[in-house]
Structures are given as structure tokens and as C-alpha cells.
Amino acid sequence: MRDVVIVGGGMAGLATAVRLQAQGLSTTVLEAHGQPGGCAGFFRHRGFAFDVGATTLVDFEPSGVGGELLESIGMSPLDAERLPGYVAWLPDRVATLYRDPQHWSAERLAKFGDTPAHRNFWAFLDKLASVFWQASRRGVQLPMRHFDEVVRNLHALGLTNLSLARFMNWTMGDALRLFGLRDDKPLTALLAMLIQDTVHSSLDAAPLINAALGITIRGVGLSRHRGGMAGFWQQLIAHYRALGGELRVGCRVTRIEGRAGQFAIHSQRGIFQAAQVVSALPAALTAQIAPPIVANVLQPYLRRDAASLGGAIIVFLGVPDHEVANQPLTHHQLLQDYAQPLGDGNNMFISVSAPDDTESAPAGYRVVMLSTHCELRGWEGLSAAAYAAQKQAIGACLVQYARRVYPTLGCNPVVYDIGTPRTYAQFTGRPRGAVGGVQQTLNNANQNAIPYSVGLKGFWLVGDSTWPGLGTVACVLGSRLVAEAILRKATKSIESKTKRG
């Protein structure tokens, strides 16, 4: 009997497990695939380590959301490069999105307008981001369902900032209209790209506060681990196991039965017993294996969010160093056409390993990931031949677009692979190949998000569908909230047994 079994070895699952293990609870992580990571995972091929989703870590600085995780589990600092920023390539201009706030302030005014309206808009956005990043670091909890959560969030936000909570019902489009900037094409294009990459939404649908957080992630700190996500997982898992934690890979869970204190987790490798259970799987997968009471509570959320799922396409390249040696920064974001919808290459992100990172690529070579968003339906119902043709076409398109930054990219690749929603469905088990959590709107984010506890004591959900909706940083924050709740319940259980004894 374990104190807690965690189903799913992605960022949220492992972060929850290591927190609990560090506090003295016995934990087992059950991961269906051959290695951990989920949509923040990796694969190795011909001496290269490729990131399959997230390529950077957010806010792992001291006092940051990720930094709090490392401190709370007693883990040494990451072997990671602090990225100074990345470059945004728009159709008619190029801007560097600096990590340093002073450099970024000057750059955005120079490249996107220096009118009173622009200055006032950026000041407003900076204030929102600063306050709500601080609230996230203090462990803000949404949705709020109990009085103690209201008190917690008042402390996290601070009484002097309470008036900003009124913007919970605003979208980014509302804010742009307030300052008369909704029709400013270059500015709105930049914001739209950043919002799509973080909260997977649009200007007029994205909740303003979530969007403000997404737009400012590089300011709170982006870093790339040596060896990419493979290097990160190697370091985290080694620490987890040193604490006594158990990770079982190739262990797909098929059914969870029972109640608090006596859960039975059925898997392909036997039955595991636990006092509490955490599902770090997507909500749709959780509903398939959870006790009926949990599945029933989740159904309205799943129906609501069925049309709010999106996918991704990634080209994985292992190339000679000279193909990517002409740029000082290793990360870039490209917009091809102001008039076209984002996704399918029109908004594309480039991530390149550092030149001295021989854990990501052999000496003299570099790892490159080209990623873009896509709709899921365009990859469904295709014949084998049609799928192969569409896959090769989008791969060639992304490489061609990337040559604006790296003119000879992909001319002599050692590795050239393409990932699509079908790839994510096959290798990560994501329903329909959807990644990154739901496309956030006022209807499904923050106070309307799926709760961490859904109708059965001792059964918890954690993952990327909750506040603040920023991928890995949201998963890390969620792990903190769930771990705290589990520890409180475990403590009460021990106290109750002691009194009875």
C-alpha cells in the first residue's frame, strides 16, 4: 500500500510525486509509455535528443514558480541556460523580445509604436502581469470553491491589488479596444502569436490576465536545460528516486476503483493499492479510467471543451552546426502573413540547441525544432497516402519558412522527422492528438476551470487545464496546490488514527 499513486509521468505528475515524496509520503508514478515527460517529453534518435513539446522551462529562477518546486524538494539548481530572449520575425519588421525589462521596453516602443496609447497599454499590461505572476508564485488557487481558498487568494493577490480582479472577465481584445489599439496590425499580430503559443487562444477570446501572463513569460525567465527536456527529466527523476520515489514506465492504467484509504489502481503490470490517487492525465483519459462518480462530474466539462482542443505540428532536425550558426539567439518566432489565420506555419516557433550542448546533439551538430499550431480536424479521416502527402507538405513548408532565419537550414540533415496530431495520439495517448490544454476562454479558464478535486475524496486531478494555463508552469503550480491538499488529508488521517488508537 502506497500513500499516493500518481497516474501519468508528465510534468504535473512527476512534480506532484516528488513534492509528496520529499515530505515523507510514499509515492509511485505509473507511466504508460517507455519514458516520462508526456507533452513535455523527448525522444532520442541517431545521437540527437529532441523535445516533443515544451522546449523551454518557465520561471525556474529562485522565488519563481519552478524555483519554488526545486527549493521545496531540496533539489540542486538546474543545469540550464538562461535565455536572454528570442526574436520575433513579422512580415515587415524584426523585433527582439528581450528578457531584460528595460531592453524590452525600449524595443517594443521602437518597433511597435511610441504613442501615448502604446505607452499606456504596455504600462497596464506590465502591471497586470507583475501582480498576477506574483500571485501565481504565492500559490493562487482557481477555481475558488471554498472560503479558505478565497482567503488564500486574497493573500496571494494582496489587498492593494484587489481591484485588478475585475479584469478576470475581460479579454485581451477588450483591453486593446480600451486603448484604441485593436486595429494596430503589427502590435496585435505580435500579441496574437504570443497568446496562441501560451493560452492557445485568440485576442478576442483569451482571458486578459492569462494572456498577460503568456505575453510576459520571457520576462519572468525562460531557460533551456542542457540536453533539452531529456536532460531535465534525467536530473528530476534521479532526485525523485534518491528520495525513495518509485517510477514504473510501460505501465498503462486501465481502471481505478475504491475510495479514500483503499484505492485499487489496475494496470497492465498488476494492481497497485493506495490511500490517495492523482490523475495527471488529460481530463478525457481520466474520465475513461476513474471511478464513475469522477467520470460523471467530468462529463459537463468535457462536453463544454470538446470544441476547444488544438494540435501541433513539429519538424525535428539534426543538422550540421553551420546551418544555424548565423544568429546570436537560438529561439525565434515567425509570422508569415498578417492577413492569414495563425497556425499551419503562419505562426511558427524555432528552437535550436546551444552550440556547446553536446547532450542534445553530437559535437559539430545542433538540434532544431520547428513547431506550429494546427486544427485537429484537418488531420482526421485521411487515407494513409493522403496523410503521408500532407505530412511531407507541411514539413517542407515549415523548413522553407524557417530559412528566413537560417537560409541553409535542412540542406544536409542527419535527422528529419515530422510530428503531427496523429503522432501525439500514438506516442502520448492524447485523445485526437490534442496538446497543450484547452484553448482558453472566459468560459473555461480560471474560475470556470476543471477543479483539482471532482467529487471523490482522495482522488485528485492535476495538469495543464487550470490556472494560469501556461503549459509547464501551470503544471508546476498545480502540483503545489494538489500536493498541499494531499498532505493536509494525510495529516488528518494520521491524527484520526492516533486518537482512535
Side-chain angles (χ1 to χ4, degrees), residues 65 73-74 125 133 139 170 218 239 243 257 289 328 337 368 387 421 467 483 485:
V65 173
I73 64 176
L125 200 66
W133 271 116
W170 283 46
R218 105 215 130 265
H239 185 77
L243 292 171
E257 298 177 327
I289 64 172
D337 189 336
V368 181
Y387 171 70
W467 171 281

Side-chain angles (χ1 to χ4, degrees), residues 9 14 27-31 36 237 240-241 245-249:
L14 258 300
T27 64
T28 295
V29 176
L30 304 179
E31 168 56 45
I237 291 166
Y240 173 59
R241 285 177 165 154
E246 180 183 33
L247 170 63
R248 297 283 192 98
V249 296

Side-chain angles (χ1 to χ4, degrees), residues 205-248:
L208 172 60
I209 293 171
N210 302 62
L213 293 168
I215 288 166
T216 56
I217 58 170
R218 105 215 130 265
V220 299
L222 292 180
S223 56
R224 187 178 190 278
H225 203 283
R226 184 171 181 83
M229 295 307 297
F232 168 78
W233 287 114
Q234 182 178 6
Q235 187 173 350
L236 182 66
I237 291 166
H239 185 77
Y240 173 59
R241 285 177 165 154
L243 292 171
E246 180 183 33
L247 170 63
R248 297 283 192 98

